Amino acid sequence: MTERLKFAGAGFVVGILSGLLGLGGGIFLVPIMVTYFNITQHIAQATSMAIVIPTALISSIIYGFHGNTDVNLALNLIVGSTLGASIGARIMKRIPPIRLKQLFAILLIVVGVRMVLA
């Protein structure tokens, strides 16, 4: 199986999970890229951000057609998250790969535990 087909397959599965669960694809894609495809943490995180726009746009349109989107809330979140993403991307460049991987793992654990307990 070619690398392109493997990447497309991973993207397909992650796309389904993202649309189904309302999660950003990075929560799935970053670990897959780092562990399965041996991509560095920095490249995996940056690549994950690049695929957010088309994935989120398509899901948002479909959710919107079904009346499941709060547009005012989304617009307010866009303002803050755009600024935050800009700052976060600059900070990420200064963090060593192993520390970045550890921070990402801690985030996944914290979110997972909170979801189980909620």
Side-chain angles (χ1 to χ4, degrees), residues 35-92:
T35 59
Y36 184 69
F37 294 116
N38 286 328
I39 295 172
T40 67
Q41 189 73 25
H42 285 86
I43 299 293
Q45 287 185 206
T47 302
S48 171
M49 292 305 299
I51 66 106
V52 165
I53 294 169
T55 305
L57 183 61
I58 296 300
S59 293
S60 296
I61 290 169
I62 293 170
Y63 279 126
F65 281 139
H66 291 100
N68 295 323
T69 304
D70 184 332
V71 176
N72 288 327
L73 173 61
L75 291 173
N76 285 313
L77 289 170
I78 287 169
V79 171
S81 62
T82 301
L83 179 61
S86 174
I87 293 168
R90 288 184 178 101
I91 293 170
M92 190 239 338

Side-chain angles (χ1 to χ4, degrees), residues 6 15-16 18-19 28 30 32 39 52 59 63-64 82 84 93 103 112:
K6 288 179 186 177
I16 290 172
S18 295
F28 302 114
V30 171
I32 289 169
I39 295 172
V52 165
S59 293
Y63 279 126
T82 301
K93 293 167 73 174
L103 289 170

